[in-house]
Amino acid sequence: MAKALDDFVRVGSPAEIESLLESMIQPGGASLLLDKPESTPLPVVLMEQVPAESLIVDITAVREIGGELKRGVGFRLLGQAHGKIVRTPLLKVVDSETVAGRLVCHCEYPLYLEEMQRREAFRARLRLGMEVGAILRGDGDGEATVQGDLKDLSQQGCQLELPASAASLLSATPMIEIELCFPNGTRFAIKARACHTVADSDRQTIRVGFKFEDCKADQERKLWFFVREIERESSRHAEEADVGRLPSMLFQSQAAASAPVGRRNLLSYPTPMARRLARVAGYLDGQLLELQQGGRIDAVQLSRHADMLLMLADEDMESLLFATRCLSREPLLVRHGLSVAAHILALADGTKIQRDVRKALAASAMVHDLGKGMIPGNLLSATSLDEGGYAQLKMHVALLGKAMNGCQWLSAGVVKAVVGGINERLDGSGYPAGHDGDHLQELSRMSAVVDVVDAMRRDRPDRPAWRIDAVYRHLLSSPGQFDPRWVKRYIQHFGLRPIGSLVRFASGDMAWIQRLDQQGKPFQVQLTEAVEPPGEALGEVLRGNVVARLGEPVEEIPVST
């Protein structure tokens, strides 16, 4: 018998409980939410259920919470089954053990489950104080015609409150472009049709329900992200909610986001995504200083910021890739690490890698070069190194490895492959171990390609930055060092004019590539007159058939970063 509970339906049938839990027993099928303020879902694996007795959960990816669970802190398991969101009531760990290096917990069996209605139909409603603006455009002319407020959102549509004058636009233009504007600067545009209208004559407003049209896969993914974040923020204001929980990043206003992080002013970054990525850069900058002063990698902070980077990647990968080119004031080791992490996540996208592995990939790539901050600075600024200097340089891998000893939540295999293997080469000429191709994992082979592409596109003491076509030629002509399969995959994925490239077009205009279409051609660019990292000199944004406006791309212009 199912009982309604707010937006959830309570499931009490033993057979239904067993069936729903069985659907969650798969990699990436479940996450764990601690019963305490500021908690966020953590990746775990629901390994097994003993109906009416216990659940067996692998928390190896988040070992740092093991102590809290042993002390009796409650938690919920979250997941999806048959297209529905499922959560358990509060549970507690009964016992835990280490099996073949995995940390496994035996937990209480839920007396019932709570099942949210299908995510496609679920509407996240904005509470008082949650403001998301909406801009309506008609006829495809790109000009803002009506502004209003978002009231609720689902994957299928939304409800907006608009001025009564909007009725004329809706009657004249069947297809509308709606652009949602979140407080933190995130924007999202989608085509829609008006389905129903309710007028409020006293307030001179209308409530209009819209159905989204021609929704692409990436738009569906972003919509579900927005729905979850709205529901998360809304729950903070519910009477029974813990108001101490951190707000959703979507609802952190730009005024709040403009506060300095470390030595940077976020307001000076050219895009909302760059401002958010700069927060992760701020953490890495501080972590680099700690390493230089003899400190260690903070396991909890690394975990949190790896989650943040994954969230940015899941929300809008193209914006994230461009944002990595907007970081110009951070230390090179920080900029390089974030760019490598973002490009590894993009290249691995679609390969069905489990979330905990993706998180470990992101974390390992973010910090993979920070060990260079622990060796003499003259080694990094030298135009050439003798044998002794090269031996010292190679020590950065071992130094970072020691500093990461406390990061038990990280997969040791991923750390070994990325941090330990990113500088290795197929012919054994790399470091630190000089392993050849027979001893290199796939992640090492992939990471090596991503790492060298990013490094060669940046200035170095002994040479200026290379153009991307020259980098590709170098990699293709070095099959003994770099795995040709991953080189070809990189070129196919990012193309000859990658996002974040400064390109001169046939018209003579220079513009930064921000988005590509399915054929790899520029779909969104931002004009500039300066050969420098994206900043205040950015001009007009062009979307759509860029080639018709500017002509074919003629050349990439390397930028000192």
Side-chain angles (χ1 to χ4, degrees):
M1 185 73 179
K3 178 183 176 183
L5 183 65
D6 296 328
D7 293 314
F8 285 85
V9 172
R10 179 174 292 190
V11 176
S13 163
E16 289 185 75
I17 293 173
E18 183 177 347
S19 174
L20 290 171
L21 289 174
E22 195 65 32
S23 299
M24 295 165 61
I25 299 178
Q26 56 179 311
S31 56
L32 183 149
L33 183 66
L34 289 173
D35 183 30
K36 66 176 190 176
E38 305 179 10
S39 291
T40 57
L42 301 171
V44 297
V45 177
L46 179 56
M47 299 175 60
E48 186 180 343
Q49 63 169 318
V50 181
E53 293 185 17
S54 65
L55 298 177
I56 302 176
V57 181
D58 183 341
I59 67 165
T60 305
V62 287
R63 287 177 180 269
E64 65 270 20
I65 68 170
E68 293 177 291
L69 295 177
K70 290 179 182 179
R71 290 194 296 271
V73 175
F75 65 91
R76 295 178 188 268
L77 290 179
L78 312 174
Q80 290 192 39
H82 315 306
K84 303 178 183 180
I85 297 175
V86 177
R87 71 182 183 189
T88 69
L90 284 177
L91 305 174
K92 289 189 178 181
V93 167
V94 177
D95 190 17
S96 63
E97 59 181 331
T98 300
V99 180
R102 312 294 295 181
L103 184 54
V104 177
C105 294
H106 298 261
C107 314
E108 300 171 332
Y109 195 85
L111 298 177
Y112 60 89
L113 294 177
E114 293 172 353
E115 185 181 68
M116 187 182 285
Q117 58 184 296
R118 293 186 64 84
R119 70 179 196 176
E120 292 84 1
F122 174 69
R123 286 189 174 270
R125 295 177 175 82
L126 283 78
R127 293 179 179 267
L128 185 65
M130 295 171 60
E131 298 180 354
V132 176
I135 302 174
L136 273 65
R137 301 183 178 94
D139 298 330
D141 57 6
E143 294 294 325
T145 53
V146 176
Q147 296 187 20
D149 297 296
L150 179 68
K151 292 302 177 182
D152 64 43
L153 180 69
S154 74
Q155 283 201 286
Q156 293 181 333
C158 66
Q159 184 176 200
L160 304 180
E161 184 175 89
L162 304 169
S165 58
S168 58
L169 170 68
L170 299 178
S171 60
T173 310
M175 185 72 76
I176 295 290
E177 182 186 73
I178 299 174
E179 183 176 19
L180 301 180
C181 309
F182 291 87
N184 74 333
T186 295
R187 295 194 170 214
F188 173 78
I190 192 169
K191 297 290 186 181
R193 292 181 183 273
C195 297
H196 57 80
T197 302
V198 177
D200 185 335
S201 56
D202 292 336
R203 299 177 59 221
Q204 290 295 297
T205 62
I206 55 175
R207 288 270 186 129
V208 184
F210 290 89
K211 180 181 180 181
F212 298 141
E213 299 281 353
D214 301 324
C215 195
K216 307 295 188 299
D218 65 323
Q219 290 177 310
E220 291 180 350
R221 174 172 48 77
K222 292 176 188 176
L223 280 170
W224 182 231
F225 169 78
F226 297 145
V227 168
R228 285 188 300 145
E229 290 298 290
I230 290 171
E231 179 64 13
R232 171 185 165 192
E233 181 68 8
S234 180
S235 68
R236 293 179 63 244
H237 300 280
E239 293 181 358
E240 70 278 10
D242 189 332
V243 295
R245 184 177 303 171
L246 285 177
S248 162
M249 290 181 66
L250 284 177
F251 291 88
Q252 292 182 10
S253 68
Q254 291 200 41
S258 64
V261 176
R263 298 188 295 276
R264 56 191 49 75
N265 183 347
L266 300 187
L267 194 60
S268 63
Y269 290 84
T271 68
M273 181 65 78
R275 291 193 283 274
R276 297 160 71 188
L277 183 62
R279 293 182 176 275
V280 185
Y283 149 70
L284 290 174
D285 195 354
Q287 183 66 79
L288 179 60
L289 290 174
E290 286 190 33
L291 292 175
Q292 291 169 337
Q293 296 168 9
R296 292 175 171 270
I297 296 288
D298 186 316
V300 174
Q301 289 298 324
L302 178 60
S303 175
R304 289 175 178 173
H305 286 85
D307 278 329
M308 187 180 297
L309 187 64
L310 281 185
M311 184 181 72
L312 298 180
D314 290 341
E315 180 182 331
D316 191 337
M317 178 59 78
E318 289 183 309
S319 290
L320 177 61
L321 293 174
F322 180 69
T324 64
R325 300 292 285 177
C326 299
L327 304 181
S328 58
R329 295 179 294 281
E330 289 73 14
L332 173 61
L333 301 178
V334 170
R335 285 180 274 136
H336 175 61
L338 282 175
S339 182
V340 169
H343 284 78
I344 282 178
L345 289 175
L347 192 57
D349 190 31
T351 57
K352 297 182 180 179
I353 295 180
Q354 300 174 16
R355 189 188 185 281
D356 59 336
V357 176
R358 290 181 69 233
K359 180 178 177 179
L361 267 175
S364 299
M366 284 162 56
V367 302
H368 81 274
D369 247 6
L370 295 190
K372 288 180 179 178
M374 305 165 72
I375 62 176
N378 64 309
L379 295 176
L380 302 180
S381 59
T383 56
S384 63
L385 292 174
D386 58 20
E387 185 175 341
Y390 186 57
Q392 278 187 287
L393 175 67
K394 293 190 292 186
M395 289 299 296
H396 76 86
V397 180
L399 291 171
L400 180 63
K402 291 180 181 179
M404 296 181 69
N405 282 341
C407 301
Q408 297 182 356
W409 64 269
L410 267 173
S411 163
V414 174
V415 174
K416 181 180 179 181
V418 178
V419 176
I422 201 169
N423 296 295
E424 300 285 4
R425 298 293 179 258
L426 296 182
D427 59 5
S429 63
Y431 69 87
H435 287 316
D436 61 21
D438 292 337
H439 298 89
L440 294 181
Q441 302 178 35
E442 283 296 310
L443 291 181
S444 297
R445 295 164 180 256
M446 175 183 70
S447 301
V449 172
V450 177
D451 178 67
V452 77
V453 171
D454 189 81
M456 295 182 74
R457 296 187 74 196
R458 299 182 186 275
D459 288 340
R460 209 170 67 176
D462 61 336
R463 54 132 182 93
W466 288 28
R467 296 189 313 186
I468 190 65
D469 56 347
V471 175
Y472 287 163
R473 283 196 297 271
H474 171 74
L475 293 178
L476 290 170
S477 65
S478 306
Q481 291 188 309
F482 303 101
D483 190 325
R485 295 176 302 119
W486 282 110
V487 173
K488 292 176 182 177
R489 289 178 189 177
Y490 189 102
I491 296 172
Q492 290 171 354
H493 188 94
F494 296 107
L496 297 175
R497 301 285 183 248
I499 292 172
S501 300
L502 178 60
V503 173
R504 190 185 307 280
F505 289 82
S507 63
D509 292 297
M510 291 190 303
W512 286 95
I513 305 293
Q514 294 182 328
R515 296 186 186 276
L516 301 171
D517 63 18
Q518 293 182 346
Q519 286 73 45
K521 296 182 178 180
F523 177 76
Q524 178 176 312
V525 303
Q526 192 158 13
L527 299 175
T528 183
E529 297 181 355
V531 182
E532 61 185 31
E536 296 179 357
L538 290 181
E540 181 184 2
V541 175
L542 305 180
R543 287 174 57 89
N545 193 347
V546 173
V547 172
R549 171 95 174 255
L550 302 180
E552 293 288 341
V554 175
E555 63 173 340
E556 183 200 7
I557 304 171
V559 178
S560 298
T561 56

